[in-house]
Amino acid sequence: ILLKLADMLALEVVPESIEAYDISNFGSDNITGAMISVKDARFVKKNYRLYKIDGLSSPDDYFSMRNVVERRLKHTELNYPDLILLDGGKTHVAVIRDLLSENGIDIPVFGMVKDEYHKTRALVSDAEEISIAKEQSVFQFIYKIQEEVHRFAINSMSKAKSKSLKHS
């Protein structure tokens, strides 16, 4: 799967280590960023991370994604991944590529694009969309990653929202 993925994305290195990011929120309260880790095509839950985004008067998905990835990159106890996947499109990818470039870090970044039914459709760079539908094993792999990072983000955000409702 990783070899096929590397070929489809024209990567120089087979991505043995992948990190995926998602942002979850209900309005401007409890904005939560999530990062999951995949090593050798297996989820590594001990490396999962959550990031609380404070200080926004309204949700800003691009700012939040940049904030989360920037904070993650400061923690060098986790090695940098071979590939970063974002729950988002071309603009998300452009924002994170700019961040990496500003910090002199060279990691391929792709967005995981969903269709109108909120299901994985393709991977996207800041320049092009790459269909993964024809390669079933890669499609299922990316789908699992996208669902896992979304689950992790929304569960954490929902718990924080429940706590704040109980205290108000």
Side-chain angles (χ1 to χ4, degrees):
I1 293 170
L2 295 175
L3 287 170
K4 289 177 186 177
L5 179 62
D7 185 51
M8 291 175 83
L9 301 179
L11 301 176
E12 294 177 13
V13 176
V14 175
E16 294 174 1
S17 175
I18 300 170
E19 289 180 2
Y21 295 84
D22 192 9
I23 305 297
S24 185
N25 62 285
F26 287 135
S28 60
D29 294 329
N30 305 110
I31 300 173
T32 303
M35 182 273 287
I36 67 162
S37 175
V38 179
K39 181 77 171 162
D40 297 324
R42 290 180 169 75
F43 295 111
V44 183
K45 294 189 178 191
K46 71 177 185 174
N47 290 345
Y48 285 22
R49 298 290 185 269
L50 292 171
Y51 302 88
K52 186 175 179 186
I53 312 294
D54 289 323
L56 292 178
S57 58
S58 64
D60 182 337
D61 212 39
Y62 306 118
F63 171 86
S64 297
M65 187 69 76
R66 181 183 168 97
N67 180 280
V68 166
V69 175
E70 187 170 37
R71 287 163 62 188
R72 163 29 193 130
L73 294 174
K74 290 179 181 176
H75 292 279
T76 56
E77 72 275 6
L78 293 176
N79 293 329
Y80 291 153
D82 299 319
L83 174 64
I84 292 176
L85 298 175
L86 309 172
D87 191 67
K90 289 181 180 183
T91 306
H92 286 89
V93 172
V95 165
I96 300 308
R97 284 194 188 208
D98 287 347
L99 169 68
L100 294 172
S101 179
E102 289 167 16
N103 288 282
I105 300 169
D106 185 22
I107 302 171
V109 179
F110 291 87
M112 299 177 287
V113 181
K114 296 175 185 168
D115 64 17
E116 60 274 8
Y117 303 105
H118 207 67
K119 298 293 180 192
T120 304
R121 177 173 53 94
L123 293 174
V124 65
S125 70
D126 51 357
E128 66 178 323
E129 188 169 295
I130 301 149
S131 175
I132 56 174
K134 293 179 183 175
E135 191 58 63
Q136 191 64 23
S137 61
V138 172
F139 174 84
Q140 289 177 338
F141 180 61
I142 297 299
Y143 176 80
K144 287 177 185 176
I145 290 172
Q146 190 170 32
E147 288 299 306
E148 177 69 357
V149 72
H150 182 71
R151 178 202 64 77
F152 188 56
I154 203 159
N155 284 352
S156 301
M157 185 271 309
S158 295
K159 286 178 187 175
K161 183 72 172 174
S162 292
K163 284 181 184 178
S164 68
L165 290 175
K166 290 177 184 176
H167 294 289
S168 67

